[in-house]
């Protein structure tokens, strides 16, 4: 792949990660009564609905009334949608049990490892550059969380939930990459997967407390989370996955907690300890390594 194309893809993935990183700050400005599962479900319903409208209009303009032929890709779409919604539920459960910092570290810090494992199972051995970038970023995100030196015991069930969230995030990336690399454009592929997660989210909403939406700031938060951190972010990520492996994309996605940390300091008035500053630099170094350099062809894994 030409180097400028790969660089553009890396920048798109970084853009998606930056927008993803605003979710925590957005929720901090929302109503205190907002239930995490309700927030996650609303986010997917709003984002999925907007994406479906966009893709239907696009399809009618490009293809008219002809129905799409996705027979071999439906399984990947359903898997991707299920992974997106599974991430919402397990991520918030993990952060509630062990705190936002530690829960985020376990989920996002483990996702590159799961992505590399999934790529390996599909016969795509991760490159040495990816291994180096992931190692740096994972150590950096551990420092950034402030988990080192923690005296309180972690809740095992919440740790498991965060690990499931990491696997779900990686599973989405693998499913989306498979769909777009089979020739489906990023827009319909992303809309189909996120739209599927929205359908699942709609099924969850009757069982959650959604009263927070009645407040004006709750509505603003819902629109931001759905329209910006889902629609724009997933479109950027879908486009990037046409030219990046899932494992590289997920490593670049570690810019998300970096963004969250910067917003925490600049907007919410949080402070970073020296070890956390070192973590920021390590994450940034991992992202730069993953997003630059010449592409390495996937090497089939021989059993």
């Amino acid at each position: 792949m030409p180097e400028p194309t790969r660089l553009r893809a890396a920048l798109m993935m970084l853009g998606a990660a930056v927008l993803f990183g605003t979710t925590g700050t957005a929720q901090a400005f929302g109503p205190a009564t907002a239930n995490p599962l309700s927030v996650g479900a609303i986010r997917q319903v709003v984002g999925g609905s907007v994406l479906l409208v966009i893709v239907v209009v696009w399809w009618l303009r490009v293809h008219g009334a002809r129905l799409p032929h996705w027979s071999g890709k439906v399984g990947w779409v359903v898997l991707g949608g299920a992974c997106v919604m599974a991430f919402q539920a397990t991520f918030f459960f993990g952060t509630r049990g062990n705190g936002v910092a530690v829960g985020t570290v376990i989920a996002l810090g483990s996702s590159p490892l799961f992505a590399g494992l999934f790529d390996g199972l599909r016969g795509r051995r991760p490159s040495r550059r990816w291994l180096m970038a992931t190692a740096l970023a994972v150590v950096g995100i551990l420092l950034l969380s402030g988990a080192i030196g923690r005296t309180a015991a972690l809740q095992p069930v919440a740790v498991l939930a965060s690990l499931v969230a990491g696997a779900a995030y990686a599973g989405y990336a693998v499913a989306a990459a498979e769909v777009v690399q089979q020739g489906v454009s990023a827009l319909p592929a992303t809309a189909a997967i996120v739209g599927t997660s929205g359908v699942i989210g709609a099924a969850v909403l009757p069982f959650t407390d959604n009263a927070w939406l009645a407040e004006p700031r709750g509505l603003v938060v819902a629109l931001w989370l759905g329209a910006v951190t889902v629609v724009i972010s997933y479109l950027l990520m879908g486009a990037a996955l046409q030219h990046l492996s899932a494992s590289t994309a997920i490593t670049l996605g570690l810019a998300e907690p970096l963004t969250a940390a910067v917003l925490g300091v600049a907007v919410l008035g949080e402070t970073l300890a020296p070890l956390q500053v070192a973590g920021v630099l390590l994450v940034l170094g991992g992202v730069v390594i993953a997003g630059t350099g010449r592409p390495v062809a996937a090497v089939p894994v021989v059993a």
Side-chain angles (χ1 to χ4, degrees), residues 92-230:
F92 290 125
F93 184 89
T95 55
R96 171 173 287 184
N98 288 321
V100 173
V102 173
T104 301
V105 164
I106 297 172
L108 298 182
S110 65
S111 61
L113 304 179
F114 282 114
L117 173 62
F118 295 158
D119 271 347
L121 292 175
R122 297 163 65 224
R124 301 178 181 179
R125 179 175 296 154
S127 66
R128 291 181 180 178
R129 174 176 288 273
W130 173 84
L131 291 171
M132 182 187 303
T134 300
L136 276 177
V138 169
V139 172
I141 203 171
L142 179 61
L143 295 176
L144 180 58
S145 73
I148 292 180
R150 181 185 175 96
T151 57
L154 298 178
Q155 295 185 17
V157 176
V159 170
L160 179 60
S162 295
L163 289 172
V164 172
Y169 186 42
Y172 160 74
V174 170
E178 185 67 29
V179 174
V180 297
Q181 289 170 10
Q182 285 187 25
V184 179
S185 298
L187 177 58
T190 303
I193 293 174
V194 178
T196 299
S197 76
V199 171
I200 299 173
V204 170
L205 284 180
F207 305 98
T208 61
D209 181 2
N210 307 309
W212 60 277
L213 284 171
E215 299 184 35
R217 60 176 176 166
L219 186 59
V220 170
V221 167
L223 290 175
W224 174 268
L225 292 177
V228 178
T229 72
V230 171

Side-chain angles (χ1 to χ4, degrees), residues 229-294:
T229 72
V230 171
V231 176
I232 298 177
S233 297
Y234 278 102
L235 284 177
L236 287 171
M237 188 175 181
L241 285 169
Q242 294 180 94
H243 306 289
L244 298 173
S245 69
S247 52
T248 297
I250 287 294
T251 300
L252 288 168
L254 290 178
E256 177 183 346
L258 180 63
T259 300
V262 171
L263 288 176
V265 172
V267 179
L268 301 179
E270 297 177 353
T271 58
L272 293 179
L275 279 179
Q276 291 176 303
V277 174
V280 169
L281 297 176
L282 285 176
V283 171
L284 183 59
V287 167
V288 169
I289 291 173
T292 58
R294 296 188 179 278

